[in-house]
Amino acid sequence: MQKNNSKIKNDFGKRAYLYALSIINLIKQIDNKNMSNNIIARQLIRSATSIGANIVEAQAGRTKRDFTNFINNSLKSSNECKFWICLLR
């Protein structure tokens, strides 16, 4: 059981990492000379990279409360990403 939990944690972190990389690659394709695109792109990068950073912090948390708080922050960042991606469309 514990081995399975470790695999899930590693997969979760890896998926967040790959998501951040895909957002970074997306941003490279956007015309950042447009001021509004530039602002949205910066916000999107911040929120996308925040997801993985909060997952790493959650896994290193000392208490269940730490874990829960960081996972909730990660969820908030993912919701924020949805908002910025919709604006970019």
Side-chain angles (χ1 to χ4, degrees):
M1 177 86 171
Q2 196 149 19
K3 201 178 218 184
N4 198 19
N5 284 344
S6 178
K7 184 177 186 240
I8 291 169
K9 285 181 184 179
N10 289 337
D11 185 51
F12 193 46
K14 182 178 179 180
R15 289 175 64 189
Y17 178 81
L18 293 175
Y19 177 74
L21 286 178
S22 68
I23 292 295
I24 291 168
N25 288 328
L26 171 70
I27 296 302
K28 288 178 182 178
Q29 298 173 10
I30 293 173
D31 176 20
N32 287 335
K33 293 175 188 167
N34 177 317
M35 188 175 87
S36 57
N37 283 356
N38 191 8
I39 292 167
I40 293 168
R42 287 173 182 260
Q43 290 292 96
L44 179 55
I45 285 179
R46 282 189 189 105
S47 57
T49 55
S50 178
I51 296 169
N54 279 302
I55 289 170
V56 169
E57 286 294 324
Q59 291 172 345
R62 293 182 182 177
T63 64
K64 285 185 179 184
R65 186 174 185 175
D66 280 347
F67 178 83
T68 303
N69 286 335
F70 282 112
I71 290 297
N72 283 333
N73 288 338
S74 184
L75 178 60
K76 287 178 183 182
S77 293
S78 67
N79 288 328
E80 187 179 339
C81 283
K82 285 191 250 181
F83 175 78
W84 297 122
I85 289 169
C86 286
L87 283 178
L88 278 177
R89 271 194 228 155

